[in-house]
Amino acid sequence: MVSMFSNHFFRWTEQLKDSGHEIYWLDVFDSNTRGEKIDFVQQIIGWRQKIKYPGRYAIKHQLPRLYDYINSFNQRQLSDVFEGKLKEIQPDVVHSFVMYSACVPILEIIKKHPEIKWIYSAWGNDLFFYQNNAQMLQDMKSVFPRMDYMFADCARDFIIAKRHGFDGEYLGNYPGGGGYVLDNYNKYIKEHIERNIILIKGYQHTFGRGNNILEAVSSLKKKLSTYEIVVFGTHQTIFDFVESSEKLSSMENLKLIGQVSHDEVLELMGKAVIYIGNSISDGTPNTLLEAIIMEVFPIQSNPGGATAEIIEHDKNGLLIDEPEDSDEIAALILKAIGNPELIMKGIAYNTANIRPRLERKYIQKQVLEKYKLVEDNLKR
């Protein structure tokens, strides 16, 4: 396994516990921290620094130029460490998670070992957004012909991969962190008569467009006065945006929450009527899946058609076509709050048809079958 330190990666890898495979993980950025959730995996961490000299962190913050100069001699390269571990471990399979951190840097090394099968997992913005960058697209086109297998979190990314040279076997689209242990979250699900929250993902950055949701909320201030508007995972830009808006800053029913744990997100979902997520690029959003398992009606952006693989507009949710258009978002919010029947039918459909397919054991069984397929192909 070649991946950054990530909860998505840990949750995916947990599916392989007790599967009979001998598993190693190379932390591509060397956070030098053990992944406690995957204690059954042999973890390659602490590899970056050749010599761990005293005062390293003080120099990094106080004398950054000196720190960079020292690192030019003292830091190992990921490709060199990967090559050494290939020779030492002699794996049957390498599984890379994310194109630019875990595939591109090791390409030249893995090309020397055609006998090793290579699996790639595409996450989030991995392909859809970065294919628009000429250099990154060229990197993609260099990597894809060497890849043997691919997972993704949406079918859209498989289509992109094929367009740019992937000719291996597609293993399917599954949530990036595997499924959800639904029984763990049932305790958070409130009766709908008790719910009065419109829940908003507060991401405003390269991809997130939370401010556009808040612009829509601002324009609907009176119509939303009976709801509690909760924004979670809030970036500083969101706090600044609200503070600079007279309408938003005076909304007594608007609550901003900073970073929250995964369980806290699910608990908030269990109290919400509507969930709104908005970005210009993503795969299948994990928070969309979490809204579905917590029986919340979703309003979600649809970059490249990824969300439309799960949500049919006006049936089991509402799709935002233009994530930069706050007027469109306002119209969708109005449609939802003015149509309780749409909300209840949408939730009922998701609960009956999509929620069961997000159960961890259901997805784990399929994922393990895919790894078994790779294993069987090794024996041919």
Side-chain angles (χ1 to χ4, degrees), residues 275-344:
Y275 163 72
I276 311 173
N278 189 41
S279 66
I280 60 168
S281 178
D282 203 350
T284 298
N286 286 294
T287 41
L288 168 65
L289 302 182
E290 287 154 8
I292 288 170
I293 69 171
M294 300 310 290
E295 302 180 11
V296 189
F297 186 81
I299 301 175
Q300 179 71 53
S301 53
N302 184 37
T307 304
E309 294 176 25
I310 295 174
I311 300 300
E312 182 179 340
H313 187 68
D314 273 342
K315 179 179 180 180
N316 61 326
L318 296 173
L319 298 176
I320 300 168
D321 288 326
E322 297 294 338
E324 304 281 14
D325 186 350
S326 59
D327 289 338
E328 180 193 339
I329 297 169
L332 294 175
I333 294 171
L334 275 179
K335 175 182 271 194
I337 64 173
N339 195 339
E341 186 179 5
L342 171 65
I343 287 178
M344 296 313 296

Side-chain angles (χ1 to χ4, degrees), residues 29 41 65 83 94 101 136 176 206-207 210 213 215 340 343 360:
F29 296 135
V41 172
R65 287 187 179 180
E83 185 168 29
V94 169
S101 62
M136 289 179 163
T206 306
F207 310 116
I213 304 174
E215 282 184 18
I343 287 178
R360 186 158 187 84

Side-chain angles (χ1 to χ4, degrees), residues 1-10 13 16 22-47 78 81-82 85 89 91 93-97 101-102 123:
M1 303 289 208
V2 184
S3 173
M4 68 183 77
F5 186 102
S6 159
N7 280 327
H8 289 328
F9 167 71
F10 297 147
T13 304
L16 285 162
E22 184 178 354
I23 306 168
Y24 297 78
W25 165 48
L26 173 57
D27 180 355
V28 295
F29 296 135
D30 189 19
S31 61
N32 200 22
T33 305
R34 283 189 61 79
E36 298 300 333
K37 292 181 180 178
I38 54 167
D39 56 4
F40 60 96
V41 172
Q42 299 184 58
Q43 303 183 24
I44 304 163
I45 58 176
W47 56 264
L78 172 63
V81 175
F82 176 72
K85 291 300 176 180
I89 297 165
V93 177
V94 169
H95 188 166
S96 292
F97 297 75
S101 62
W123 283 352

Side-chain angles (χ1 to χ4, degrees), residues 16-17 49-50 58-59 101 119-120 147 176 179 182-183 209 243 257 271 277 279 327 341 343 350 358 362 365 372:
L16 285 162
K17 189 171 185 177
Q49 301 291 333
K50 295 177 183 176
I59 293 171
S101 62
I119 306 173
Y120 161 57
M147 285 175 170
L182 299 180
D183 286 347
R209 291 295 182 269
E243 191 175 333
I257 304 175
K271 301 173 184 176
S279 66
D327 289 338
E341 186 179 5
I343 287 178
N350 289 337
L358 297 175
Y362 175 82
K365 181 176 182 293
K372 182 67 166 58

Side-chain angles (χ1 to χ4, degrees), residues 133-143:
N133 177 294
Q135 181 56 58
M136 289 179 163
L137 178 58
Q138 189 55 50
D139 290 338
M140 273 188 218
K141 290 180 174 180
S142 298
V143 168

Side-chain angles (χ1 to χ4, degrees), residues 166-185:
F166 176 70
D167 194 33
E169 185 166 353
Y170 186 52
L171 298 175
N173 39 291
Y174 302 98
Y180 298 86
V181 183
L182 299 180
D183 286 347
N184 288 354
Y185 306 117

